[in-house]
Amino acid sequence: MEYIDAKLLQTAVWPEQYPDTLVPEIAFAGRSNVGKSSLINCLTNRNKLARTSATPGKTATLNFYDIAGKYRFVDLPGYGYAKVSKTEQEKWAKMIEQYLSNRYNLVQVIQLVDARHKPSKDDITMINWIRSFGYHPLVVATKLDKLKKSEIEKNLTTIYNTLELDDSALLLPFSSEKRTGREELLEIIDHLCSISHPQEVEGE
């Protein structure tokens, strides 16, 4: 198991708290408790880099993780948790929108959905939001290990159709528990970040 030099670099709410823009960033979006923290821990081979919780709605900040100085993972607040007040949900939505609309070293927004369930209205809103910012959808279907083998194809087809994905999109089955899809996702991230040059944008 390779060691990946990764650390929590910054937690932020407002743009003035963001770290510098000199390296590419990959953001992870998804409903509360979809497994974003577990996915980040799986990708970095670290058990407790991103704190996981049984309580949905735990992440209320943008969490920036430095990955070997090459790029960053950005864990966005989870959406769709009914027990969080409407005011708090609106605050998180504004936080996410500010980041997505103004962060020019953002290379890709990866949306996580639970492989066990049909995507929710919030999931559909998020994928359309991602499209509106000019990104081709890259969707990771988490918790694949919770499905029976006979359920996988049917559930993935439901996700594909519900989110209205097409040939320009990518749907990747993933299990943090079994590490299914880990190498594929890391290859995609490495490729996306290798062809991005945020330093050049910064200098404009």
Side-chain angles (χ1 to χ4, degrees), residues 7-202:
K7 64 183 178 182
L8 176 62
L9 181 67
Q10 181 76 31
T11 61
V13 175
W14 310 117
E16 55 268 24
Q17 299 171 321
Y18 300 168
D20 64 61
T21 55
L22 296 178
V23 296
E25 291 176 352
I26 301 287
F28 296 94
R31 286 175 59 84
S32 297
N33 215 27
V34 75
K36 288 188 280 90
S37 297
S38 295
L39 180 140
I40 290 170
N41 288 337
C42 177
L43 291 180
T44 57
N45 276 331
R46 306 286 286 277
N47 290 330
K48 297 180 181 179
L49 177 66
R51 294 183 180 178
T52 59
S53 173
T55 305
K58 182 84 172 174
T59 303
T61 57
L62 300 168
N63 295 334
F64 293 80
Y65 297 93
D66 178 80
I67 310 300
K70 293 166 53 182
Y71 48 80
R72 299 188 190 117
F73 291 159
V74 184
D75 187 7
L76 304 179
Y79 54 80
Y81 184 47
K83 291 186 180 179
V84 174
S85 70
K86 185 176 180 181
T87 301
E88 191 73 6
Q89 289 183 43
E90 289 173 352
K91 176 180 142 189
W92 293 358
K94 183 177 180 182
M95 195 190 312
I96 294 170
E97 182 174 18
Q98 283 185 317
Y99 174 76
L100 295 183
S101 59
N102 298 309
R103 195 66 168 168
Y104 46 73
N105 61 322
L106 176 60
V107 173
Q108 178 68 48
V109 184
I110 298 176
Q111 181 170 2
L112 277 61
V113 297
D114 191 325
R116 299 172 296 177
H117 308 298
K118 180 178 179 179
S120 68
K121 289 181 179 178
D122 289 324
D123 290 322
I124 295 170
T125 297
M126 177 54 72
I127 200 72
N128 289 332
W129 211 4
I130 290 170
R131 287 186 178 105
S132 75
F133 287 109
Y135 299 99
H136 290 301
L138 200 175
V139 180
V140 173
T142 63
K143 307 188 181 184
L144 194 72
D145 54 289
K146 306 296 184 184
L147 292 176
K148 297 176 183 176
K149 286 185 178 181
S150 59
E151 298 174 319
I152 292 175
E153 184 175 353
K154 172 179 171 290
N155 284 34
L156 291 178
T157 298
T158 297
I159 292 169
Y160 189 93
N161 292 335
T162 303
L163 296 180
E164 298 183 348
L165 303 180
D166 57 24
D167 292 342
S168 70
L170 180 63
L171 176 59
L172 181 67
F174 194 92
S175 166
S176 297
E177 184 74 24
K178 303 290 186 181
R179 300 168 70 81
T180 306
R182 178 182 181 272
E183 296 306 319
E184 292 89 338
L185 185 53
L186 281 174
E187 285 182 13
I188 292 167
I189 290 171
D190 281 338
H191 174 70
L192 288 170
C193 291
S194 70
I195 60 176
S196 171
H197 303 284
Q199 295 91 339
E200 296 175 8
V201 179
E202 172 76 1

